[in-house]
Amino acid sequence: MVRFLACFLIFLFINVELFGQSQSTDVIHILYYNVENLFDTANDPLTDDDEFLPEGGRRWNDYRFYQKLKQLSKVILASAGFEPPEIIGLCEVENRDVLEKLLDATPLKKYNYSIIHKDSPDERGIDVALLYRSGRVTPIGYQYLPIRDIKQRVMSTREILSASFQLTGMDTIQVFINHWPSRYGGQAETEAERMQAAKTLRQAIDAIQEEYLQPKMVVMGDFNDQPQNRSLTNGLKTVSQDDLTIDGELISLSSGWKQGTIKYRQTWTVFDQILVSDQLLKVQGWHTRPEFARPVALPFLLEADPKFKGQKLNRTYVGFKYHGGFSDHLPVLLKLEQAN
């Protein structure tokens, strides 16, 4: 009887700690994922998508396309635990049709996701998009911000998606989804393009901070630069620590990550990042903590790397050889909570 009572009390304590906390705390997750070349199998004459056609270099076909959708849904469903994220930012999607198939032809169908998407001026036709769970968050509005060069001409790259949502408790949150110009051609040679993206985003953030009192903002994306690079620290004006004497800072929650999100040869780098306005770090209404931002290193997203040691990403292709994996990036996840 003594042993039974002891076990019962331990069980009761554990359940109060776990379930009692979940009942007094509302949680929302925001995921960002570079899904690596989510193309359909149809030719778009307006974009350079020939590589991902049945007769193209990668022999892309319906089986591989739907397998890719199934793999991506697996990641999304497993990323945040028991419930999939309320908001999902995606990049490297070809069009709205691939997103509709992702939501209709996979187990994501039952979660009532809606789509925000617009075709970008990118030459390959890859876009940034956003999925949100209707009924869990309420969209207020969105816009796409084109990236302009120093002569104010629209660049042939992905636009920045800016979307606002109302959460329970009347809090609103502004979410920015990014996929900045790549380093193809050299980091130094292409830095100016990412700096223009940083300035575009900074202007949008400044405008919101001028219009609203202490806005709560989440910035996520594949920046093709690391937290310490100039496009982030100088162009976007991020900081790694919140200075409590300064209002309006943009805090990089990724600057201390030990797990990278992309690997080249033996080197991991943090290209996929999470930034928040300092208002989100205050425990008022919906808020977050630095430890609530992390790469999603699910075991099936990684595999042994016999050539360069350790682990590497389980990709859809290895070179031009079909591998059947997921992506060349790890997703990143942010948790927001609201104590009742």
Side-chain angles (χ1 to χ4, degrees):
M1 178 62 71
V2 172
R3 180 179 297 177
F4 172 79
L5 288 173
C7 291
F8 175 77
L9 289 172
I10 292 172
F11 174 81
L12 182 62
F13 174 77
I14 291 173
N15 276 270
V16 167
E17 286 294 301
L18 293 179
F19 298 104
Q21 181 178 3
S22 66
Q23 289 173 356
S24 63
T25 304
D26 292 324
V27 172
I28 283 177
H29 289 93
I30 307 176
L31 183 76
Y32 175 83
Y33 197 11
N34 180 330
V35 294
E36 189 189 17
N37 297 321
L38 182 55
F39 283 85
D40 60 24
T41 59
N43 182 32
D44 183 348
L46 300 179
T47 63
D48 183 13
D49 65 348
D50 292 354
E51 187 178 325
F52 284 89
L53 296 175
E55 65 274 14
R58 296 187 184 273
R59 296 292 184 258
W60 192 239
N61 56 38
D62 284 342
Y63 169 79
R64 294 179 178 184
F65 170 62
Y66 281 99
Q67 176 67 12
K68 175 94 170 180
L69 296 181
K70 184 171 72 173
Q71 297 285 61
L72 296 178
S73 72
K74 180 179 179 181
V75 179
I76 291 169
L77 289 169
S79 62
F82 293 108
E83 286 283 333
E86 281 74 14
I87 300 173
I88 303 170
L90 300 172
C91 79
E92 292 203 14
V93 298
E94 184 183 14
N95 49 45
R96 186 182 183 92
D97 185 59
V98 300
L99 296 171
E100 290 177 348
K101 288 183 169 62
L102 174 65
L103 298 181
D104 188 60
T106 74
L108 293 175
K109 184 174 183 177
K110 70 177 185 177
Y111 289 98
N112 200 26
Y113 279 104
S114 296
I115 298 171
I116 296 175
H117 170 268
K118 175 182 174 293
D119 289 324
S120 79
D122 182 86
E123 293 177 352
R124 295 180 61 226
I126 54 175
D127 312 323
V128 295
L130 191 147
L131 310 177
Y132 64 92
R133 292 181 65 183
S134 301
R136 300 293 293 268
V137 294
T138 303
I140 298 172
Y142 73 92
Q143 62 176 321
Y144 278 82
L145 310 174
I147 312 302
R148 299 181 182 273
D149 62 20
I150 58 175
K151 295 183 178 180
Q152 292 303 300
R153 297 171 299 193
V154 174
M155 296 169 57
S156 299
T157 190
R158 286 76 58 179
E159 297 163 314
I160 298 170
L161 171 54
S162 170
S164 56
F165 294 90
Q166 182 176 318
L167 311 180
T168 58
M170 300 305 292
D171 256 355
T172 61
I173 187 169
Q174 190 77 27
V175 179
F176 293 94
I177 304 300
N178 299 261
H179 186 195
W180 288 6
S182 77
R183 291 186 173 190
Y184 185 76
Q187 177 185 352
E189 291 79 3
T190 58
E191 182 184 59
E193 298 176 5
R194 290 185 295 281
M195 191 65 75
Q196 289 302 116
K199 291 178 179 178
T200 299
L201 178 55
R202 185 69 249 181
Q203 289 172 359
I205 290 172
D206 288 344
I208 291 172
Q209 289 180 327
E210 288 177 8
E211 184 174 357
Y212 299 100
L213 179 64
Q214 298 180 325
K216 297 182 177 182
M217 293 180 279
V218 175
V219 180
M220 307 178 85
D222 173 5
F223 297 96
N224 276 301
D225 268 337
Q226 297 208 77
Q228 69 273 18
N229 289 141
R230 291 181 65 253
S231 63
L232 277 299
T233 58
N234 292 9
L236 195 52
K237 300 178 183 177
T238 60
V239 296
S240 59
Q241 297 287 335
D242 183 18
D243 186 336
L244 299 179
T245 66
I246 301 174
D247 286 331
E249 291 182 303
L250 188 61
I251 316 299
S252 172
L253 302 185
S254 308
S255 59
W257 286 353
K258 295 180 180 180
Q259 171 65 60
T261 63
I262 188 169
K263 186 179 185 183
Y264 178 70
R265 297 182 183 272
Q266 70 273 14
T267 303
W268 283 93
T269 52
V270 180
F271 278 6
D272 306 87
Q273 300 171 43
I274 300 172
L275 323 168
V276 298
S277 59
D278 56 4
Q279 184 63 23
L280 261 178
L281 296 179
K282 299 176 181 178
V283 187
Q284 299 172 355
W286 286 95
H287 61 277
T288 190
R289 306 176 194 172
E291 61 267 26
F292 287 173
R294 60 180 175 86
V296 181
L298 295 165
F300 54 77
L301 293 177
L302 301 165
E303 60 185 1
D305 188 348
K307 185 174 183 179
F308 295 107
K309 310 302 180 186
Q311 292 183 304
K312 61 180 180 178
L313 287 149
N314 183 4
R315 300 181 57 176
T316 306
Y317 283 87
V318 177
F320 274 76
K321 182 179 180 182
Y322 181 68
H323 189 61
F326 299 84
S327 173
D328 61 345
H329 288 247
L330 287 177
V332 294
L333 185 71
L334 178 68
K335 182 174 76 170
L336 306 179
E337 67 177 16
Q338 180 189 47
N340 294 330

